Amino acid sequence: MSNDDEASTASGSPENRLRKELPEEVRAAAPAPPEREREAEERGEGAEPGLTGRQRLVQGLWPPRVSRAQLIVALLLFGLGFGLAVQVASNSDSGSALRGARQEDLVRILDELDSRTQRLQDEKQGLEDQRTELENSSDQAEEARKQTVEREKQLGILAGTVAAQGPGITLTINDTKGTIEADMLLDAIQELRAAGAEAIQVNGVRVVASTYLTDSDKGVSVDGNKITQPYRFKVIGKSQDLEPALNIPGGVVQTLEKEQAIVTVEPSTKIVVDALRPAKQPDYARSSQ
């Protein structure tokens, strides 16, 4: 048999026909370069396919990525929770202690609370009473001080140690003949005092309880101070009482006019008595207070 016949015989066999029917083999892809492998790993394509969900969760949580602010907030929340837990435990202990107490113990505790409350109320009332007493004593002391100052001024006016002013009259006596004597002026002073005069000044000399008048050469002396006419009396008091007292029939004015003296009485709403006497310490009299 020739070579052509053998080839046709081989090509016509069943094995050769099967090969012709199958597609040609696909060649394997060439391995990717190292650069592409790194890009795939960065995109997550190179992750290990064998990790479970729990392992992925652990990898995401550890190591923890906590900022400073989050740490501070966590510490604050922990402290708050701890304080609340301690408070709740303390209240629970107190409540459980009272719940477990006997009736006699509860009654005793209530009695002690009532006694303590009563003591506090008594102390409060005592403090309020002390405050009221201090306020009243302060008011009384202030009022006493004011009265003392006012009384001192009044006594100073009577003693002639302080100046005074007020309504009154001015009595002027012109002795043109030189016939006026000390006793006539003393009668005028006595009449004015009887009519309610509170302060008297004669020619710059303050008249007080111990004042005395004497005759002197061509004039009169008041407490040793010589004064000359015209004799001018500044008198503080109620002018409606002082002026009529001097003008009564047979009184001071008529007596002086008989001696040919010229007498004038002028009421005024403001009389100033500014002549002063030095304060004199009594030799024998002492306060009985």
Side-chain angles (χ1 to χ4, degrees):
M1 187 176 291
S2 63
N3 294 332
D4 294 335
D5 293 335
E6 290 178 357
S8 61
T9 303
S11 61
S13 64
E15 182 178 358
N16 290 333
R17 287 195 303 269
L18 180 61
R19 289 181 178 178
K20 288 180 180 181
E21 292 176 0
L22 291 174
E24 295 180 358
E25 294 181 359
V26 180
R27 294 181 179 180
E35 291 80 2
R36 292 184 181 179
E37 290 181 358
R38 285 195 298 271
E39 292 178 0
E41 289 179 358
E42 291 178 359
R43 290 195 304 269
E45 294 178 355
E48 297 180 2
L51 295 177
T52 63
R54 180 177 297 178
Q55 291 174 343
R56 293 192 186 95
L57 179 60
V58 171
Q59 288 183 354
L61 295 178
W62 189 264
R65 299 177 181 86
V66 182
S67 64
R68 183 177 181 180
Q70 292 174 344
L71 181 61
I72 293 174
V73 172
L75 292 175
L76 292 176
L77 292 176
F78 174 76
L80 179 61
F82 182 77
L84 291 175
V86 172
Q87 183 67 28
V88 170
S90 177
N91 293 335
S92 300
D93 294 340
S94 300
S96 61
L98 291 177
R99 284 193 298 269
R102 296 178 302 174
Q103 183 176 1
E104 294 80 1
D105 296 335
L106 294 176
V107 171
R108 180 178 54 79
I109 293 173
L110 290 176
D111 291 339
E112 291 179 355
L113 291 176
D114 292 338
S115 300
R116 184 179 302 175
T117 303
Q118 186 63 36
R119 287 196 302 271
L120 292 176
Q121 290 291 341
D122 294 340
E123 291 180 2
K124 177 184 176 183
Q125 186 63 36
L127 293 175
E128 290 179 352
D129 294 341
Q130 290 181 3
R131 183 186 65 181
T132 304
E133 184 178 355
L134 289 175
E135 290 177 353
N136 294 335
S137 62
S138 299
D139 296 340
Q140 293 176 359
E142 181 65 21
E143 184 65 24
R145 189 187 66 82
K146 291 180 179 179
Q147 292 180 2
T148 301
V149 173
E150 187 65 25
R151 183 63 176 172
E152 182 179 357
K153 291 180 179 180
Q154 294 175 358
L155 293 176
I157 292 174
L158 296 177
T161 57
V162 296
Q165 68 178 16
I169 64 171
T170 300
L171 172 63
T172 305
I173 302 172
N174 289 302
D175 183 15
T176 58
K177 302 295 183 178
T179 57
I180 302 300
E181 297 179 353
D183 59 342
M184 297 178 184
L185 298 181
L186 183 58
D187 290 341
I189 293 174
Q190 297 293 351
E191 195 67 40
L192 291 170
R193 283 176 173 173
E198 296 177 352
I200 302 174
Q201 175 178 319
V202 182
N203 286 29
V205 179
R206 187 71 170 265
V207 177
V208 295
S210 60
T211 296
Y212 62 94
L213 285 79
T214 59
D215 294 322
S216 63
D217 186 19
K218 297 181 180 180
V220 176
S221 294
V222 179
D223 291 333
N225 300 298
K226 185 178 180 179
I227 60 175
T228 59
Q229 68 90 29
Y231 305 112
R232 182 172 289 106
F233 291 70
K234 291 183 177 181
V235 185
I236 295 178
K238 189 176 182 181
S239 59
Q240 293 84 350
D241 296 335
L242 298 174
E243 187 175 3
L246 296 174
N247 291 317
I248 61 175
V252 174
V253 174
Q254 288 188 359
T255 302
L256 294 174
E257 288 177 348
K258 287 180 181 180
E259 299 294 333
Q260 298 181 354
I262 300 173
V263 182
T264 59
V265 179
E266 298 177 2
S268 176
T269 57
K270 183 179 180 181
I271 299 294
V272 178
V273 176
D274 53 4
L276 302 179
R277 297 288 295 268
K280 182 180 179 182
Q281 182 71 27
D283 296 330
Y284 305 102
R286 295 291 184 269
S287 174
S288 60
Q289 298 296 329

